[in-house]
Amino acid sequence: MTKKVGIGQSHSKLILMGEHAVVYGYPAIAIPLTAMTVTCRLTPSDKVLVRSPQDPLVTAILTAVSHLKQSPYLTYDISSSVPERRGLGSSAAVALAAIRAVFDYYNQSLTEALLERLAHKAEKVAHANPSGLDVKTCLSDKAIHLVKGQGFSTLSFDLGAYLVIADTGIHGQTREAVAKVKALGHLANPHLATLGELTSQAEEALSVGNATALGNVMTAAHDVLRVLGVSCEKSDRLVTLSLAHGALGSKMTGGGLGGCIISLVQTKQEAEVLAKRLEEEGAVHTWLQKL
Ligand code: PMV
């Protein structure tokens, strides 16, 4: 028995430390952005929804519909406060919202394990070799520490500090960036190992509430990601600007080659001042996130 409408929602995420290295088995830390959400609404259609490999939403809808052995006579509507392709996990959030909407539409119960499995399948279309970090964090209301293939744990901390998230306005290219690192072959190994070590130091800094130490490892991670070739000129410029304006640390976040940067500051007031400055210098949007 189907309903006339199916609705699903998800929040987004950001990677604090460990992007790219996580693909190779090093740890990564990501935090949920619960205020940034995607809602998918499905209604009946007399036309069949057609697969579009470049579209994570349609891919996720069809993955879920085919799991339920239904025919996709559906049309969709999406409302989102997550900017697309900016390294904030929009493809994972969209996939989770879409799969929830499909199960709601067909009145089927959905376990978290199945939701995660179907979203991971859809994410493979968005970029070939996803670590699973995005989906896991979009499913969580706590920060996630993940080692691919080994498992994850949730992290609790309260640094009393703030992250300024600044959007370069340039589409991030996760698939291309992941391929670029792969193409480096063994030359990437020492850099990936350094990123892994920096993530472990970040975990330690979080556990003792040391924002200065966290800032330092964030900036060090940005330098490594830049050397790996996955940053971009505008991200580098916004990172440099953040540091010049007193940020404790700053780095790109997510797949890169565009997308967003994150800068750590101690107080909300400093965050507001920095966000304004970054917008004056070309960031197309900024958000504040308490850490
Ligand atoms: O660009 P995003 O938000 O999808 O993040 C990609 C993170 C990578 O580590 C580069 C890839 C992955 O699967 O974890």
Side-chain angles (χ1 to χ4, degrees):
M1 184 56 181
T2 60
K3 303 201 301 185
K4 284 276 177 277
V5 62
I7 293 179
Q9 203 185 51
S10 171
H11 61 254
S12 188
K13 68 93 200 53
L14 74 73
I15 300 179
L16 186 61
M17 288 289 292
E19 50 275 272
H20 287 289
V22 68
V23 174
Y24 296 88
Y26 294 100
I29 300 170
I31 58 176
L33 299 176
T34 50
M36 248 188 224
T37 58
V38 175
T39 304
C40 177
R41 192 169 173 277
L42 295 174
T43 45
S45 166
D46 50 9
K47 289 201 194 81
V48 155
L49 194 59
V50 182
R51 186 168 292 277
S52 151
Q54 294 310 318
D55 185 335
L57 173 63
V58 175
T59 302
I61 294 172
L62 294 181
T63 302
V65 169
S66 109
H67 177 85
L68 292 175
K69 301 189 172 42
Q70 299 283 347
S71 301
Y73 284 93
L74 294 169
T75 185
Y76 61 84
D77 178 70
I78 193 108
S79 62
S80 174
S81 56
V82 186
E84 254 185 84
R85 294 176 57 197
R86 299 295 210 283
L88 297 180
S90 77
S91 65
V94 156
L96 291 169
I99 294 161
R100 284 179 169 137
V102 168
F103 277 70
D104 185 43
Y105 184 87
Y106 292 108
N107 268 326
Q108 297 293 314
S109 61
L110 174 63
T111 62
E112 187 160 309
L114 178 59
L115 173 60
E116 187 172 354
R117 192 152 55 77
L118 293 175
H120 191 72
K121 205 169 163 188
E123 274 277 274
K124 281 193 173 164
V125 179
H127 56 97
N129 186 18
S131 62
L133 179 65
D134 285 16
V135 169
K136 190 58 97 186
T137 315
C138 289
L139 280 169
S140 172
D141 56 6
K142 288 228 168 69
I144 295 286
H145 175 274
L146 178 137
V147 179
K148 187 180 174 186
Q150 279 184 32
F152 75 100
S153 55
T154 55
L155 301 176
S156 293
F157 49 81
D158 184 4
L159 252 61
Y162 281 81
L163 284 177
V164 179
I165 307 166
D167 185 354
T168 62
I170 302 165
H171 276 168
Q173 300 174 56
T174 302
R175 178 186 275 275
E176 291 77 0
V178 169
K180 209 168 166 188
V181 174
K182 189 173 177 204
L184 290 173
H186 69 276
L187 294 177
N189 290 348
H191 303 299
L192 297 169
T194 303
L195 287 172
E197 173 55 30
L198 290 169
T199 300
S200 300
Q201 290 175 23
E203 192 188 356
E204 169 68 17
L206 285 168
S207 72
V208 297
N210 187 341
T212 306
L214 177 64
N216 288 337
V217 294
M218 284 170 60
T219 306
H222 181 76
D223 285 337
V224 179
L225 290 162
R226 191 173 43 73
V227 170
L228 279 172
V230 294
S231 185
C232 71
E233 188 272 326
K234 190 161 182 186
S235 293
D236 294 344
R237 194 161 59 73
L238 295 179
V239 163
T240 305
L241 197 89
S242 298
L243 297 172
H245 282 82
L248 300 171
S250 184
K251 65 184 278 289
M252 57 164 272
T253 181
L257 299 175
C260 290
I261 64 138
I262 49 173
S263 301
L264 183 69
V265 292
Q266 197 66 70
T267 67
K268 189 167 185 198
Q269 199 199 351
E270 284 172 323
E272 284 164 356
V273 171
L274 179 59
K276 193 161 175 285
R277 193 78 189 90
L278 290 170
E279 285 185 16
E280 283 162 5
E281 292 290 335
V284 298
H285 204 101
T286 56
W287 301 264
L288 305 190
Q289 174 69 29
K290 195 162 187 305
L291 209 58

